Each structure stands twice: as structure tokens, then as C-alpha cells.
């Protein structure tokens, strides 16, 4: 009977030894298995995806920069000399259009040279007609010189405005942010040069007109002198002697 307690003690002791081992085996079965190759592959995949995101972001930044550059290239120049140029050219045209005497018209010129500047004066020509024609030619020459000086004055007055406009255009071109603004600055500078050439052309034309009319006056004065000499020498028939009766 004494062996029964001893057997119980052995059973309990064995159970105590076996139970931790069983629990340990059960807990070990629930642990996650670490796969190193799979972990490396996941890291590489994430790195590639991050690189793609960075490339897409850089592409978007490049597109934004391109759009900004296009916007700058399409921006118009805030300064324009078109209106002042048109005004100054209109003023020069007005001065030229106010030419005295002979106007810049082919029909008027042909008629004037037929009447006032004929190739040959008719004979006999009255002294009054010669005087009136000479006065008209002198007035035409004098008026042409005055017109030339007026055109010159207008061109000189445009110089101050041209200098101011050139300064403004150069300043605008230096601060141009795009191709369009730079091109517009260059075009407007060319327009200013064209206006100056137009003024110079008007001045040369006006002075050449004055010289031409003065030359025509001198040529016609020579022709008038010849006609006057012819009239003077054409005194009619010479003296014819005849009989005279003194008393009846």
C-alpha cells in the first residue's frame, strides 16, 4: 500500500516535466517564418516604384517650366511706339500736302508747265502777260523754298520724340522676358528707323522740288528775255519816204 503514493508522485513529476515541453512545442508552431529573399524583393520593388514617382514628378516640373517659358515667349511688350509713329508720319504728310503753288500731282505739274513754264513764248506777247507769268513763277519758287524749310523743321522736331522712344524701347528690350517681346522691340526699333527714313525722304523731296522750281524759273526767265528782245526788235515796217503838202 505504501507503493501507491510513490507512483502518484512519479506521475505528477512526469506530468510537470512533459507539460512545459508540450506547451513549448505548441507555441513554436505559431511563430511566423521569415523569408529573406521575399523581403529583399519587396524592398527592390518599393525602390523602383519610388524612382518612378520621382521621374514622374520631375517630368511634371519640366512641363511646368516649359509652359512658363511658352507663356513668357507669348507675352506682349508692354510698350508700343506705333501710335506716336503714325501721328508723326501723318504730320509730315500734312506738311508735304500743304505745298504752295505746284502740288505733288502729275496733272497739275503738266498743266503748269504748259501754261506758266511753256517751252516757247508766243510772239508777240504782251508785257502785262509776261509780267504776270514771271510773278507766278517767282511765287512758286519762293513757296517751294518755304515748304522745304517747313518739312525740315518737322523732321527736326521729330528727333526729340524719336530719341525718347528709342530709349524706352531699348529699356524694354533689355528687360524682355520672352522671344515675342524681344521680337516686338526689334520690330518697333525698325519702325522708328523707317519713320526717320520717311522724314529724310520728305526733306530731300521738298528741297529738290524747290531747286527744280527755281531752275525752271531761271530757264523760263531766259525764254522770256528772248521773247522780249524779239518783241523789241519787231518794230514793224521801216520808214517809207513820201510826198507831203504843207499848204493848200
Amino acid at each position: 500500500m505504501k507503493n501507491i503514493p510513490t507512483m502518484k508522485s512519479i506521475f505528477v513529476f512526469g506530468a510537470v516535466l512533459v507539460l512545459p515541453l508540450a506547451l513549448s512545442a505548441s507555441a513554436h508552431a505559431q511563430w511566423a517564418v521569415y523569408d529573406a529573399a521575399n523581403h529583399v524583393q519587396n524592398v527592390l520593388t518599393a525602390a523602383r516604384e519610388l524612382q518612378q514617382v520621382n521621374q514622374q514628378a520631375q517630368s511634371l516640373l519640366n512641363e511646368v517650366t516649359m509652359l512658363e517659358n511658352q507663356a513668357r515667349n507669348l507675352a506682349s511688350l508692354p510698350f508700343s511706339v506705333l501710335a506716336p509713329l503714325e501721328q508723326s508720319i501723318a504730320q509730315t504728310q500734312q506738311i508735304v500736302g500743304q505745298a504752295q503753288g505746284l502740288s505733288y500731282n502729275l496733272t497739275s505739274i503738266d498743266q503748269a508747265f504748259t501754261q506758266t513754264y511753256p517751252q516757247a513764248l508766243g510772239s508777240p506777247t504782251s508785257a502785262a502777260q509776261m509780267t504776270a507769268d514771271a510773278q507766278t513763277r517767282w511765287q512758286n519758287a519762293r513757296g517751294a523754298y518755304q515748304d522745304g524749310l517747313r518739312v525740315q523743321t518737322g523732321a527736326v522736331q521729330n528727333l526729340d520724340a524719336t530719341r525718347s522712344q528709342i530709349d524706352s524701347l531699348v529699356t524694354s528690350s533689355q528687360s524682355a522676358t520672352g522671344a515675342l517681346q524681344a521680337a516686338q522691340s526689334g520690330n518697333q526699333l525698325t519702325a522708328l528707323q523707317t519713320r526717320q527714313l520717311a522724314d529724310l525722304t520728305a526733306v530731300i523731296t521738298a528741297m529738290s522740288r524747290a531747286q527744280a522750281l527755281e531752275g525752271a524759273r531761271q530757264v523760263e526767265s531766259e525764254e522770256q528775255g528772248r521773247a522780249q528782245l524779239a518783241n523789241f526788235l519787231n518794230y514793224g515796217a521801216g520808214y517809207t519816204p513820201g510826198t507831203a503838202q504843207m499848204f493848200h
Side-chain angles (χ1 to χ4, degrees):
M1 295 298 293
K2 293 182 179 179
N3 293 331
I4 294 175
T6 304
M7 294 297 295
K8 289 181 178 181
S9 299
I10 295 173
F11 177 77
V12 172
F13 179 73
V16 171
L17 292 177
V18 174
L19 183 59
L21 293 176
L23 293 176
S24 175
S26 177
H28 181 72
Q30 295 178 358
W31 287 355
V33 179
Y34 173 73
D35 191 346
N38 186 35
H39 179 71
V40 172
Q41 185 63 35
N42 291 336
V43 171
L44 293 176
T45 301
R48 284 193 295 269
E49 291 178 353
L50 180 60
Q51 184 179 8
Q52 292 178 355
V53 171
N54 291 334
Q55 291 176 350
Q56 292 176 356
Q58 185 62 42
S59 177
L60 291 175
L61 290 176
N62 293 336
E63 290 181 2
V64 170
T65 303
M66 180 182 66
L67 292 175
E68 290 177 349
N69 292 333
Q70 290 178 352
R72 284 194 292 268
N73 289 332
L74 295 177
S76 299
L77 193 69
F79 178 76
S80 175
V81 297
L82 179 59
L85 279 178
E86 292 179 345
Q87 183 179 1
S88 63
I89 291 176
Q91 291 175 352
T92 302
Q93 289 178 337
Q94 183 180 5
I95 296 174
V96 172
Q98 294 173 349
Q100 306 175 59
L102 290 180
S103 62
Y104 293 96
N105 182 277
L106 293 177
T107 302
S108 299
I109 291 174
D110 291 340
Q111 290 177 353
F113 269 76
T114 300
Q115 298 173 2
T116 312
Y117 303 86
Q119 184 174 359
L121 293 176
S123 182
T125 303
S126 65
Q129 184 63 43
M130 286 185 177
T131 301
D133 291 342
Q135 181 70 16
T136 300
R137 291 190 292 269
W138 176 83
Q139 289 176 347
N140 289 340
R142 180 185 182 279
Y145 278 112
Q146 183 180 5
D147 294 337
L149 291 175
R150 294 177 72 243
V151 174
Q152 288 180 3
T153 301
V156 171
Q157 290 177 347
N158 287 335
L159 292 178
D160 290 337
T162 300
R163 179 186 56 79
S164 177
Q165 292 164 0
I166 289 177
D167 291 342
S168 299
L169 278 176
V170 170
T171 302
S172 298
S173 63
Q174 289 177 346
S175 60
T177 59
L180 180 59
Q181 291 187 356
Q184 288 177 337
S185 298
N187 292 339
Q188 293 190 52
L189 286 172
T190 302
L192 281 174
Q193 294 176 351
T194 304
R195 198 277 304 280
Q196 290 180 315
L197 289 175
D199 287 346
L200 180 60
T201 301
V203 170
I204 294 175
T205 301
M207 295 308 300
S208 298
R209 172 177 177 268
Q211 294 174 359
L213 287 176
E214 174 60 18
R217 186 190 70 80
Q218 293 177 2
V219 170
E220 198 62 27
S221 295
E222 294 177 0
E223 172 59 20
Q224 184 174 335
R226 185 201 62 78
Q228 288 175 336
L229 178 61
N231 289 341
F232 175 76
L233 296 177
N234 186 20
Y235 47 81
Y239 173 73
T240 301
T243 60
Q245 295 180 355
M246 299 294 293
F247 303 102
H248 295 282

